[in-house]
Amino acid sequence: MDFQWDAEQRAFRDTVRSFLAENLPADWESLAHGPGSESQSAFSKTFCGALAKAGLLVPHWPKRWGGRDADAWTSFILAEEMWMAGEPRGGQYMNVNWIGPTLMRFGTEAQQDRYIPPIARGETIWCQGFSEPEAGSDLASLRTRAERCDGGYRLNGQKIWTSYAGHADTCFLLARTGIGKTGMSVFLVPMDTAGITVRQIPSVIGEGDIHEVFFDDVFVPADALLGAEGQAWEIARNALSLERVGIPRFALAARMLRRAVAALKKADRYGHGAVEQSARALAACEAARLYSYQIVDQRRHGTPTGPEASAARYATVMAERLVGEFVVEHCPDALAGGDPLLLAHHQRAIVAGIASGAAEIQLNLIATELLQLPREPR
Amino acid sequence: MDFTLTSDQSALLGALDRLVAPFESKPIDFHGFALVGSDLERELTEGEYFDIAQIPEMGALTAAMAVERLAWLPYTADIALSMLVRPHLPGDWPRPLAVVENGRPGRFVATARTLILIDGDDISLAQVTPDDVEPVDSLFAYPMGRLKRQPKATKLSAEDAATVRKWIRVALANEATGLIQAAIASAVEHLSVRKQFGRPLGAFQALRHRMAECAVLSGGVRWLALQAAATADDGDAALAALHAQDSATRIVYDLHQMLGAMGMTLEHPLHLWTYRLKALMSELGGRGGQSVAVAQHCFA
Ligand SMILES: Cc1cc2nc3c(=O)[nH]c(=O)nc-3n(C[C@H](O)[C@H](O)[C@H](O)COP(=O)(O)OP(=O)(O)OC[C@H]3O[C@@H](n4cnc5c(N)ncnc54)[C@H](O)[C@@H]3O)c2cc1C
């Protein structure tokens, strides 16, 4: 066991930091910081293109797809630095974390040739069409239908909470081709297909993030199906496990906590209460960081990820919560025009326990798989 | 970064597993507060386990893992201070060790040969004889003792005092890790067999979620404690001790609540871990004290 970064890892982090210093615009920190906002989505294409040219977009991917087979630590260090900088990759972080790898694993050669290179060049945005109005945590109850027709499928239904849908080129869509968990399939759907309507949902979490997506008699050819009919549950589980510790939220949370404390100290307002709360919040960030590292380490050693991933996710939710609450209590001015960075962090932090699956579902998994408590009756 | 055990660490933990086998469960007829592990202590001494931090291939991190493992046991002895703090005392001081903080009764004080005396910001060391100290009855599941008279003490420099304080934090956090894990395991066992309303208590989501939250906290305490032992960083030590005391406060309450009246008995072993944790919660100023240290070292 070793808690130090080795020379190569330190050098890689420095490379990423230098890249950020050179490639982020001077007014970056005051840009609208919704990862799905107009300005950030547009910028992400220039930025990811440059990242790709510098070999920093998909270093953890196989050589065949433009990577260099770097280990799990490399991609995580990269993710930490990006998220900590306000995620200049915008929605494209999903592409490199799980969409690309999922296509590599389940896609046909034609699908891979069509979709992976644009991801590796940093020029395309995807969205994830899983949740529906009636299917949130209970994803398996989704209703969007994919009915076979001449040459392909006809899609009908509605998705909701779809991030980045307003800018996305392609949707990674879950739809029903039969009944139950084995009656769900994944379709790769170009967002400019006739019959798709996207509506942005005004929200407290910033511009351009969440959307409704309507599918009205949308025709997709048979080769839009990813994997086999009925394989969606397996594919989605695989994708979600890559996403569970995908975002190193603790890194930005800790940075924002330090920023808030520095502001309080400057204003001579860092009293007892703030000292105690900030210390607890920092401990929670550190716990989340090390928990996440445990999962990265498992990946690096090729060990299958166990229920610790749920614990890592929950620890991250607690860290986000404590930092968010600290700012609300001690630096309320930040949310009233005082600090665009703390505001942007707040908007991201509040969804930590909801986006990519409710925290309570993780608690269910921890109770059953980690603690081995008896299951709830169904 | 590498979170896998080295072969030395695995070997040591394997050897400890064998050594502690006779001490894994509470004697059925023991209905007291402090189950003192004199035989355990003797075996650890004979195996030279108290010196593992000084062995280069082992170091403080491996010693911390040993502290964690041994804290699972229902038996107790001065293990954490001897393994993790003693190597950092200036000069050679005999074990067992104990801390007397601002004159209060402390764990193992009545049987210690070296006392770490903390008075406000000052720390001094004293060798003591049995005449200097006496046992006190307490609710804590450690043998508690206090000073009868002020022994001749050597005051530490500010720098040495800071080092000792840091390693006490590391010791506390790693001991708490093992105690918390053992307490949770004990509660899981109870919740899996105790049935009410026709099903095991552990099948009620209200309790499953509380237990899961305790488990998440417990894992975090462990990582911070191990990190602090590995880096020997003042900030890491303060964070580890804070997270340990903070998490223990919540976990101890929750576990007792979930055990119902059974958790109030001396027959059930839960109190052996929870009433050790309660003793640790106040050390070095408790959460407030650790927070000030975190602010000093991490938000400078
Ligand atoms: C910012 C953001 C971005 C998102 N992006 C996407 C996206 O790009 N694509 C996509 O498909 N989805 C997306 N989602 C949706 C997200 O996956 C869902 O919000 C999530 O799965 C929870 O579903 P729900 O919101 O319908 O909550 P519900 O399922 O209605 O649950 C509400 C609450 O009830 C509790 N609860 C539910 N089930 C249980 C249970 N079994 N046990 C105990 N408690 C329970 C939990 O507290 C939960 O938070 C996004 C959500 C947010 C907030």
Side-chain angles (χ1 to χ4, degrees):
Chain A
M1 200 175 276
D2 186 354
F3 289 86
Q4 308 287 348
W5 299 107
D6 65 28
E8 203 181 313
Q9 291 165 336
R10 281 198 302 270
F12 181 70
R13 194 182 288 278
D14 287 344
T15 306
V16 178
R17 286 192 178 170
S18 315
F19 181 90
L20 284 165
E22 280 164 29
N23 288 275
L24 291 183
D27 60 349
W28 169 248
E29 306 223 314
S30 59
L31 281 180
H33 271 283
S37 69
E38 193 75 49
S39 54
Q40 207 161 327
S41 295
F43 177 68
S44 84
K45 294 201 174 168
T46 326
F47 181 81
C48 288
L51 263 183
K53 288 204 182 78
L56 293 174
L57 187 63
V58 291
H60 58 296
W61 282 14
K63 288 204 180 67
R64 166 160 186 228
W65 297 117
R68 56 176 174 86
D69 287 305
D71 70 6
W73 285 114
T74 306
S75 60
F76 206 68
I77 291 170
L78 184 65
E80 279 186 334
E81 294 301 322
M82 292 296 152
W83 189 256
M84 209 167 16
E87 196 48 278
R89 296 176 300 182
Q92 291 195 53
Y93 77 87
M94 290 199 320
N95 299 1
V96 300
N97 281 3
W98 67 267
I99 293 182
T102 304
L103 295 174
M104 287 172 211
R105 176 150 172 200
F106 297 99
T108 61
E109 210 168 310
Q111 286 169 332
Q112 293 177 343
D113 287 339
R114 174 173 177 189
Y115 289 116
I116 298 178
I119 293 182
R121 289 194 299 267
E123 60 189 32
T124 187
I125 294 177
W126 283 68
C127 63
Q128 170 188 358
F130 286 15
S131 306
E132 296 183 3
E134 303 301 325
S137 304
D138 184 11
L139 185 58
S141 67
L142 66 85
R143 296 179 185 176
T144 295
R145 278 174 297 123
E147 279 163 337
R148 279 198 204 209
C149 64
D150 224 14
Y153 295 84
R154 228 161 250 296
L155 308 173
N156 277 290
Q158 184 196 343
K159 294 291 165 178
I160 195 168
W161 318 127
T162 323
S163 299
Y164 324 121
H167 300 284
D169 303 301
T170 322
C171 181
F172 190 99
L173 180 79
L174 235 53
R176 191 157 283 299
T177 43
I179 46 172
K181 277 186 186 167
T182 51
M184 289 156 52
S185 307
V186 175
F187 294 90
L188 310 174
V189 185
M191 289 295 282
D192 58 4
T193 312
I196 297 180
T197 314
V198 177
R199 208 178 288 155
Q200 198 185 123
I201 302 174
S203 72
V204 288
I205 58 175
E207 171 209 336
D209 200 326
I210 46 180
H211 304 78
E212 290 175 290
V213 184
F214 300 89
F215 294 84
D216 254 324
D217 247 357
V218 174
F219 172 78
V220 289
D223 65 5
L225 177 72
L226 180 70
E229 249 189 41
Q231 208 186 351
W233 198 249
E234 182 195 341
I235 297 175
R237 270 178 76 100
N238 191 267
L240 291 176
S241 82
L242 291 169
E243 189 164 59
R244 201 155 288 153
V245 288
I247 302 180
R249 289 176 166 276
F250 56 83
L252 183 65
R255 182 180 161 216
M256 292 301 110
L257 178 64
R258 291 179 192 286
R259 186 178 174 91
V261 167
L264 288 175
K265 280 186 167 178
K266 206 167 154 203
D268 208 12
R269 287 196 287 137
Y270 190 46
H272 279 308
V275 163
E276 288 207 15
Q277 259 175 282
S278 60
R280 289 177 68 205
L282 186 63
C285 291
E286 271 295 281
R289 184 173 75 95
L290 295 174
Y291 251 123
S292 304
Y293 286 2
Q294 179 187 8
I295 309 308
V296 177
D297 195 55
Q298 287 176 350
R299 272 187 205 154
R300 202 262 308 254
H301 289 289
T303 320
T305 306
E308 299 83 12
S310 299
R313 166 92 203 285
Y314 198 78
T316 300
V317 172
M318 292 202 279
E320 285 279 47
R321 175 177 171 182
L322 288 179
V323 173
E325 289 171 354
F326 179 80
V327 172
V328 166
E329 183 168 344
H330 297 283
C331 311
D333 31 320
L335 308 188
D339 186 337
L341 275 191
L342 288 182
L343 170 70
H345 171 255
H346 178 90
Q347 291 177 307
R348 285 172 188 200
I350 53 172
V351 305
I354 301 168
S356 71
E360 284 76 6
I361 304 302
Q362 305 303 322
L363 291 179
N364 287 342
L365 291 171
I366 295 165
T368 304
E369 293 175 21
L370 198 66
L371 290 173
Q372 313 231 311
L373 282 167
R375 283 173 187 275
E376 279 177 87
R378 294 233 169 202
Chain B
M1 286 293 159
D2 190 344
F3 282 33
T4 21
L5 299 182
T6 63
S7 54
D8 285 323
Q9 287 163 346
S10 303
L12 177 100
L13 291 175
L16 270 182
D17 279 341
R18 289 188 292 280
L19 185 149
V20 303
F23 307 104
E24 292 273 26
S25 49
K26 174 176 93 61
I28 296 173
D29 56 353
F30 176 78
H31 290 165
F33 288 90
L35 184 55
V36 177
S38 311
D39 291 343
L40 170 69
E41 192 164 5
R42 187 169 348 97
E43 294 215 20
L44 290 171
T45 309
E46 281 165 12
E48 300 182 4
Y49 284 95
F50 289 114
D51 300 321
I52 51 182
Q54 286 102 308
I55 303 170
E57 309 80 77
M58 301 279 184
L61 176 58
T62 310
M65 292 174 188
V67 167
E68 170 192 330
R69 176 67 186 88
L70 292 164
W72 273 76
L73 302 174
Y75 290 86
T76 188
D78 157 42
I79 291 166
L81 293 176
S82 286
M83 285 193 184
L84 289 167
V85 180
R86 187 162 167 265
H88 301 282
L89 299 180
D92 197 15
W93 296 83
R95 72 166 303 279
L97 265 56
V99 175
V100 175
E101 202 176 338
N102 299 318
R104 292 201 308 258
R107 309 180 271 138
F108 306 108
V109 167
T111 47
R113 288 172 64 202
T114 299
L115 290 184
I116 300 171
L117 305 165
I118 302 180
D119 283 295
D121 290 338
D122 294 336
I123 298 187
S124 27
L125 300 178
Q127 280 202 34
V128 281
T129 63
D131 293 338
D132 298 324
V133 287
E134 64 185 0
V136 284
D137 280 340
S138 89
L139 204 54
F140 298 119
Y142 289 110
M144 301 292 284
R146 68 178 155 224
L147 277 175
K148 274 200 297 197
R149 59 184 187 209
Q150 209 55 39
K152 199 165 89 52
T154 315
K155 191 173 161 210
L156 298 185
S157 67
E159 199 182 321
D160 284 343
T163 302
V164 169
R165 209 179 278 277
K166 169 175 77 186
W167 285 101
I168 294 176
R169 290 197 172 100
V170 176
L172 181 161
N174 281 285
E175 175 144 7
T177 301
L179 295 172
I180 288 172
Q181 289 174 349
I184 289 177
S186 161
V188 165
E189 199 180 306
H190 182 82
L191 296 178
S192 302
V193 294
R194 166 77 174 163
K195 285 190 178 160
Q196 285 294 282
F197 304 98
R199 51 171 150 141
L201 290 175
F204 287 97
Q205 197 185 56
L207 304 192
R208 290 164 58 79
H209 281 192
R210 263 166 102 172
M211 286 300 291
E213 286 192 327
C214 290
V216 173
L217 289 172
S218 157
V221 169
R222 174 167 184 267
W223 285 122
L224 293 195
L226 292 175
Q227 170 171 260
T231 63
D233 175 78
D234 289 299
D236 287 346
L239 284 167
L242 172 63
H243 201 51
Q245 289 179 327
D246 196 34
S247 304
T249 304
R250 149 132 195 228
I251 292 169
V252 164
Y253 176 84
D254 275 5
L255 298 185
H256 272 287
Q257 183 62 24
M258 288 186 256
L259 254 77
M262 183 52 85
M264 301 291 132
T265 67
L266 294 178
E267 178 192 333
H268 195 281
L270 183 65
H271 72 286
L272 292 178
W273 299 293
T274 53
Y275 276 79
R276 282 176 202 152
L277 286 165
K278 285 195 182 189
L280 299 184
M281 284 175 198
S282 63
E283 295 193 354
L284 292 182
R287 289 181 283 185
Q290 312 326 323
S291 299
V292 170
V294 169
Q296 183 191 340
H297 297 295
C298 303
F299 292 118

